Amino acid sequence: MSRFAPVALTVTSALLVLTACSGGVQGTPGGSGVRDPYFPKAGNGGYDVTHYALDLAYDPDDGHLGGTAEITARATQDLSAFDLDLTGMDVEQVTVEGERARWSRNGQELVVRPHDDLDDGETFQVTVRYSGTPETVTDADGSEEGWLPADDGALALGEPVGSMAWFPGNHHPSDKASYDIAVTVPEELEAVSNGELANRTTTDGRTTFRWRTAEPMASYVAALAIGDYDIHRSTVTSETGGDLPVYTAVAPTQDDAGREVLAELPDILEWGETNFGPYPFSSTGAIVAPEEAAGYALETQNRPVFPGAPDTSTLVHELAHQWFGNSVTPKSWRDMWLNEGFATYAEWLWREDNGGDSAQEIFDARYDHGEDDHEDLWDFPPAKPTSAAHISDSPVYERGAMVVHKIRQTVGDDTFYEIVQGWAADHRHGTADTADFTAYVEKKAPDADFTRIWDEWLYGDGKPDRP
């Protein structure tokens, strides 16, 4: 509930009242969403976030999270008000540029009215102080994300919209930012997040971990793991010639199996750089949580999260996402196949390069037996999931990988790897959509005909005829 606006007001009427109080208003409220085709309320219009500074404190005994979020952003229009995405939690105070701001709540929207209007192009800082018990978000497909509590801690995951359960922000993949995340927990626990650990300090039985992510990151791949973890630090040599820090956190129950598969991480990264180009981030690693922590692995930036020790194929998949999804990020959730199709195809390439079936053999098996092994493979085309409940279904992953393989068949290996590496390099730390990708492929192979691939494999309904 708003501390500075009457409780009974709707968001629309609240904005009218707040606008009327301000005198000579030049701006207008920013949008309450970016009209994503599957998550229309996700993200917000009128500004672009450049940096998040989160200061969090968590007590596993009572599940209470206290937080202060300092968000630096640039206005992309004259703003009289703007929204942040935040579900649950109690908002205690909001300031903009150090001045107390009026605010109101409506579902996941935290509507902020600055003391003074913001000009188009102006950089500003909004600070939100909040607390409460974070929510576990149930997605349309039944999976759980957001804040996942455990006996001794918690796991925070955000794909597609769960990050709004633990910090306010512009929660859509089209808006990426750098992060500083400070987390204070009981001293016997670890707190692991993205980027690099800047420092840790212990006072009066509580330890504060300060994590820094300098490269742009979409909020859905932000992560926080709190609990009893065994920490291991090492380095690997990157293609760029420098030593890349490796930071892994493994739950004690997963120690033996986790260490065994994570020993493959340097070889997988070297293989990834050979195939996809230079690794796009300044550190790497993994979080191997207890098996019951989540129902899926997730490509959280710098260090993917696994519920239990992963197999090699899953580790390859999530590390490939560091190039495809985390560095080159989809502009909307309709473009998710660009993440999952490439990461799935990376699994196929790894098997091909390491004595397993060739990518062509895997493709043929999917085509011939897809209705048996992946019963929904032909339900919809990869670039047109039917709803939010299906953005993680087989057509996005497996048929997405089949699209990538069809491109490889069409252009040959030399041009294919030029396309893959060029795509990752040209859109490094940026966002892109399916139209960007198809235009890029056609530009790199101007003599090839991709009409049937786009029309039948990428966008077409049903099972395409075998060529």
Side-chain angles (χ1 to χ4, degrees), residues 314-336:
T314 304
L315 183 59
V316 169
H317 182 106
E318 304 305 342
L319 288 175
H321 272 308
Q322 305 305 309
W323 285 266
F324 307 109
N326 296 6
S327 177
V328 186
T329 301
K331 287 182 180 177
S332 85
W333 288 108
R334 177 172 286 161
D335 306 300
M336 189 170 171

Side-chain angles (χ1 to χ4, degrees), residues 28 36 72 130 179 254:
T28 57
D36 185 275
T72 303
Y130 60 101
Y179 283 72
Q254 305 299 316

Side-chain angles (χ1 to χ4, degrees), residues 58 69 80 101 121 184 190 231 240 251 353 355 417-419 428 431 437:
Y58 185 63
S80 62
T184 301
E190 300 287 336
I231 305 300
T240 59
D353 291 344
Y417 284 105
E418 288 178 6
I419 290 171
R428 182 182 175 96
T431 60
F437 178 72

Side-chain angles (χ1 to χ4, degrees), residues 367-403:
Y367 187 87
D368 294 335
H369 306 292
E371 294 179 357
D372 298 327
D373 298 337
H374 302 274
E375 61 181 18
D376 62 349
L377 183 58
W378 313 112
D379 281 1
F380 58 83
K384 293 195 302 182
T386 51
S387 71
H390 298 290
I391 63 171
S392 294
D393 284 2
S394 182
V396 174
Y397 287 66
E398 300 292 337
R399 189 167 165 183
M402 295 174 86
V403 171

